[in-house]
Amino acid sequence: MLDIGKSTTKPFIYNYKDQEGSCKNVSLDIRIPYDDCLDELVTQVLSKMDPMMRFLDENAAIKRGLKEFIDVENQKFRDEYADELLEKVRNNDIDVEEIIRDTERHYKEELIQFADRIGPTDEDIFAQSFHRLVHSSQLEEILKKERAYAKVIASITKEMDKEVETLNNSQQEEMESKINQLDITTTPEDINNLLAQQYSTQNFVRKRYESELEAKIGHQKNEYRQWITSQVSELFQSSPVSTPLGNRSSMFISQQPSMEESFTIHLGSQLKHMHNIRILSANVNDLCSPLHADESLNGLNMALGLYSSSLCGVVVLTPSVQAQANKDIIKNANMSTEFHFNQIDDQLEKIEQQIRQLNLLNSSSTPSTKSLSTVSTDVSIGSTEGGEKDVIVSGVINPSVQSSASNSPVKTSAKLKTGDFFITKHSNLSQSHVIFHLISDEPINSPSEINSRHPVILGLRNILKTASRHDVTTLTIPALLRHEMSEDMTVQWCMRRAELVFKCAKGFMIESASWGGAELSTLQLLLPHDISEELFNTLASMVPNVFRVANPKILVDNSK
C-alpha cells in the first residue's frame, strides 16, 4: 500500500428535473480519492434537492452517477500522483528506502502473516520447556530418548563408513589391476576414465547416506522438540519431583585421564576468589567424545548445565594450514542429532561465510583500520588484534569485534592467523558445551620458544575473556600448547613452556575480575595423553608454586 499523503476536493454536479419540468442541479464537494460508502453521499445529494424530489425514486440514478464520477476522479488522481512520483525518482528527489519502509510498516500493521511476533519465540519456548523438564523427574526419560535417537544416527553413520571402506578397497584392487596392465591392455585414458567413474560412484554413495542422515536428523529434531514442549504442560499439572543438580566436577568421569591432580587456589589482590586447578593427562578428543556412547553421568551433567550459567569449554589447537575443526570432533558431533543448536557442519558453514564477509570488508578498508563491526548471529570468530571489545557470533571471536564463521573444512586458511579462534556450540558431546578452536602454527617436530606476547598466548587471554562474558565457568586449555608429545620436546623445554602457560593463565584469571561476567571456577590444564608419568609429576609439582595453593596453617599451642 502506497501512502499517498495528500488529497484534493472535486465538485460532483447532479442534474435533475423538478415536478414542473424545470432543469435544476445540486453540487456536492467530494474528497478525492474517495473509498468510503456511496450511500452516505447519496443521502447528502438528496438533502440538497427540492423537498418533494426526495420522495421520488432518484436513489439509483444518483448512486450510479456518483460511482462513475468517483471512479473517474480516483483513477485520474492516482495517475497524476504516480506520474509525479516517477518524475521525482528520475530527478532523485524521492527516498525509495523510506517508501519501502512505509510499505513494510503498512503490511505489518494490516496483515497478520507479516505482523511482528509478540511474545516468546519457538526457540525460547523450547529452551524454557527443556530447562524446566530437565530439573524434574523426567530427566531420565529425556536421556533415554536422546540415547535412542543417537543409536539410530550412529547406526546409519557406521553403515556409511563400512560401505565406503568396502568400496575403497574394491576400487583400489581394481585400479591396481588396471595399472599392472598399463601399456599392455590398458591405456592412460582408460585409467583416467576409471578414476572418474570411481569418484562418481563413491560420491553417489556418500550423498545417498548424507541425504538420509539429513532427513533423519531433521525428523528427530522436530519430534524431540514437540515431545519436550508437550511433556512440560503434562508434568507441571501434577506436583513435580526435583532432581538434584549434582556435583558439576563429576562431568569429567567418562574418559578417566591416565594421570590427574587437583588443587584449590585463591586469587586476587584484595578480594580473594577461590578457583579449582586440575592438571590432567588425556586425549583432547576424549573431552569431546559422543555424549551417548556410554551410560555414564556425562549426559546428566551436560543436560543440567546446558541452560545454566555454568557452561564447560575446551580449547582445541588447530593449524592454520588446515584451518578446519578437528576431524575427529566433527565425526563425534555428527554421531547424534544436535537438538539445541545447528549441526556442527551448519555452524562451520556460517563461520566460513562470515570470515569471507570480513575479508571483503578488510580488503576494502584502509590499512589503518583495525576493527570491524559486523552483525552477530549464532557462533563466533576471534583475533588477537584490536581493542577491548569482543562479539560471540557464528563461530569466531575477535576482541576487535571481528565475528564470523568456518566450514567443515574452512577454506580461508590464509585469512586466519595464529591466535585467531572460532567457536562451535554443542549439546551432544560428553564434556564440552563450547569448543574454542585456536589457530596455532607452531611446528610439531621443532619446538620453539615463545613469550607472553606470542599470538597464541594472547589468543588464550581472549578466550578466557570470552568465556568470562558468556558464562563458561569450566575451561580446559592445553598446558604445553600441544596435544601430542614429540621427541624434540625435552624435559627442560616442557618445564619452560608449562611455566609460561601457568603464569600467563594465572595473570589472565586475576585480570578477569575486572572484565565482569562469570568467574572461572575450574581451570583444567591438559597435558598430552602420551606424556610420561615422571614428566607429568614434574609439571604437576610446578602448579602449587606458580598458583600458590592455599594450604591451611596448623597452629600448635606450646603453653601446655
Side-chain angles (χ1 to χ4, degrees):
M1 182 190 300
L2 193 62
D3 187 8
I4 293 179
K6 65 177 182 178
S7 61
T8 185
T9 302
K10 295 287 185 177
F12 168 71
I13 299 175
Y14 180 71
N15 298 309
Y16 68 97
K17 291 183 179 181
D18 60 10
Q19 290 178 323
E20 299 176 353
S22 301
C23 293
K24 294 190 175 182
N25 62 68
V26 294
S27 177
L28 178 66
D29 291 335
I30 300 176
R31 184 174 176 271
I32 301 297
Y34 186 85
D35 296 311
D36 295 331
C37 181
L38 287 177
D39 292 335
E40 181 180 345
L41 296 180
V42 172
T43 302
Q44 294 181 32
V45 172
L46 287 173
S47 67
K48 293 191 175 187
M49 296 173 63
D50 292 341
M52 295 302 297
M53 296 299 298
R54 301 177 190 172
F55 302 101
L56 299 178
D57 189 16
E58 290 283 337
N59 290 27
I62 295 174
K63 190 171 186 178
R64 187 168 53 253
L66 280 169
K67 186 176 185 308
E68 292 176 357
F69 173 81
I70 289 174
D71 287 346
V72 171
E73 292 299 330
N74 278 353
Q75 187 62 46
K76 187 186 299 184
F77 176 84
R78 290 189 171 97
D79 289 344
E80 292 175 355
Y81 182 72
D83 291 338
E84 182 181 344
L85 283 179
L86 290 173
E87 184 64 27
K88 287 183 177 180
V89 171
R90 282 192 290 266
N91 297 331
N92 294 324
D93 294 335
I94 192 170
D95 189 351
V96 179
E97 293 297 327
E98 184 178 358
I99 294 177
I100 294 174
R101 288 193 295 270
D102 289 343
T103 304
E104 181 183 7
R105 177 174 56 82
H106 286 307
Y107 268 92
K108 288 182 177 180
E109 292 175 352
E110 301 294 335
L111 301 176
I112 189 170
Q113 61 264 41
F114 297 102
D116 292 330
R117 179 165 181 167
I118 300 176
T121 64
D122 293 339
E123 294 291 334
D124 294 334
I125 293 173
F126 170 73
Q128 294 170 11
S129 300
F130 180 85
H131 185 66
R132 296 183 69 182
L133 202 63
V134 83
H135 289 84
S136 72
S137 58
Q138 289 290 97
L139 175 59
E140 186 58 33
E141 289 298 318
I142 293 176
L143 298 179
K144 286 181 180 178
K145 200 170 190 69
E146 289 182 355
R147 289 191 198 105
Y149 282 140
K151 287 179 180 178
V152 174
I153 301 300
S155 175
I156 298 175
T157 303
K158 290 177 181 177
E159 185 179 346
M160 177 183 69
D161 293 341
K162 183 178 180 181
E163 184 169 339
V164 169
E165 184 180 1
T166 302
L167 182 62
N168 279 335
N169 293 336
S170 63
Q171 288 181 343
Q172 186 175 356
E173 291 177 0
E174 183 181 12
M175 180 59 67
E176 289 176 353
S177 174
K178 288 289 185 182
I179 291 176
N180 291 335
Q181 296 297 319
L182 183 62
D183 295 332
I184 301 175
T185 60
T186 305
T187 65
E189 184 178 357
D190 294 333
I191 292 180
N192 290 335
N193 291 336
L194 180 61
L195 279 172
Q197 180 185 351
Q198 290 182 348
Y199 173 80
S200 178
T201 302
Q202 192 171 120
N203 189 57
F204 172 77
V205 172
R206 286 188 178 276
K207 290 295 182 183
R208 174 164 55 85
Y209 276 103
E210 287 172 0
S211 177
E212 182 182 357
L213 281 170
E214 185 178 359
K216 182 66 69 175
I217 286 172
H219 173 73
Q220 287 186 357
K221 193 168 187 175
N222 290 332
E223 187 178 74
Y224 177 83
R225 289 186 166 217
Q226 291 174 6
W227 179 78
I228 289 291
T229 52
S230 65
Q231 288 296 307
V232 169
S233 58
E234 296 177 9
L235 175 70
F236 285 91
Q237 288 175 358
S238 59
S239 57
V241 179
S242 298
T243 301
L245 292 179
N247 185 358
R248 194 59 54 81
S249 63
S250 64
M251 188 172 297
F252 298 90
I253 65 173
S254 172
Q255 297 286 344
Q256 285 292 341
S258 56
M259 293 169 283
E260 65 170 293
E261 194 167 347
S262 299
F263 306 89
T264 299
I265 65 170
H266 292 85
L267 294 178
S269 56
Q270 295 179 346
L271 181 62
K272 300 288 186 181
H273 297 279
M274 187 173 70
H275 304 271
N276 296 319
I277 304 295
R278 185 170 182 241
I279 185 169
L280 69 157
S281 167
N283 191 324
V284 68
N285 294 330
D286 292 342
L287 306 183
C288 308
S289 58
L291 181 59
H292 302 293
D294 51 46
E295 303 293 327
S296 70
L297 292 178
N298 281 331
L300 183 147
N301 283 299
M302 293 302 292
L304 291 174
L306 189 58
Y307 290 98
S308 73
S309 56
S310 302
L311 302 176
C312 298
V314 177
V315 178
V316 178
L317 300 176
T318 301
S320 68
V321 292
Q322 298 175 0
Q324 63 185 30
N326 184 295
K327 291 181 179 180
D328 291 331
I329 293 177
I330 293 177
K331 183 177 180 180
N332 291 342
N334 282 327
M335 291 295 287
S336 61
T337 300
E338 175 55 78
F339 295 111
H340 301 270
F341 309 108
N342 293 329
Q343 289 293 126
I344 186 170
D345 292 334
D346 296 331
Q347 293 187 46
L348 293 172
E349 185 176 356
K350 286 184 179 180
I351 295 172
E352 181 184 1
Q353 292 172 357
Q354 292 180 355
I355 290 177
R356 289 175 177 172
Q357 293 174 2
L358 287 174
N359 291 337
L360 291 176
L361 290 175
N362 276 328
S363 61
S364 61
S365 62
T366 60
S368 60
T369 302
K370 288 191 177 181
S371 65
L372 302 170
S373 294
T374 59
V375 178
S376 65
T377 56
D378 207 359
V379 195
S380 108
I381 298 185
S383 164
T384 56
E385 299 179 358
E388 290 298 324
K389 299 179 180 179
D390 68 17
V391 163
I392 219 173
V393 288
S394 261
V396 190
I397 297 257
N398 181 353
S400 59
V401 194
Q402 293 190 15
S403 14
S404 255
S406 149
N407 184 346
S408 270
V410 176
K411 300 175 182 177
T412 52
S413 58
K415 304 301 181 181
L416 289 179
K417 305 180 297 300
T418 298
D420 294 347
F421 62 97
F422 57 95
I423 293 176
T424 52
K425 302 180 292 185
H426 309 273
S427 66
N428 60 349
L429 296 181
S430 61
Q431 301 179 35
S432 53
H433 296 110
V434 180
I435 299 179
F436 299 88
H437 305 265
L438 176 61
I439 304 298
S440 174
D441 277 333
E442 189 174 13
I444 296 177
N445 295 322
S446 56
S448 59
E449 298 294 338
I450 63 175
N451 55 36
S452 60
R453 301 305 299 170
H454 191 273
V456 173
I457 297 295
L458 297 180
L460 282 178
R461 175 185 180 274
N462 294 326
I463 288 175
L464 262 70
K465 190 173 184 180
T466 302
S468 173
R469 292 187 174 181
H470 297 282
D471 294 330
V472 178
T473 58
T474 299
L475 185 65
T476 303
I477 66 173
L480 299 179
L481 303 180
R482 295 290 188 88
H483 290 314
E484 294 181 354
M485 297 294 292
S486 66
E487 295 180 357
D488 297 326
M489 294 169 62
T490 63
V491 173
Q492 294 301 321
W493 182 90
C494 291
M495 292 178 64
R496 290 195 301 271
R497 175 61 62 87
E499 183 180 14
L500 172 67
V501 174
F502 292 173
K503 288 183 176 180
C504 289
K506 175 184 176 182
F508 298 154
M509 292 171 69
I510 295 174
E511 186 184 4
S512 68
S514 63
W515 293 340
E519 288 185 11
L520 185 65
S521 61
T522 301
L523 176 68
Q524 298 204 129
L525 304 170
L526 180 65
L527 293 172
H529 63 93
D530 51 351
I531 193 172
S532 66
E533 183 175 358
E534 181 181 359
L535 180 55
F536 176 87
N537 292 331
T538 300
L539 299 181
S541 66
M542 296 171 58
V543 174
N545 297 327
V546 173
F547 288 94
R548 300 191 182 279
V549 175
N551 293 319
K553 291 184 177 181
I554 301 175
L555 302 179
V556 179
D557 187 0
N558 296 322
S559 60
K560 295 181 180 180

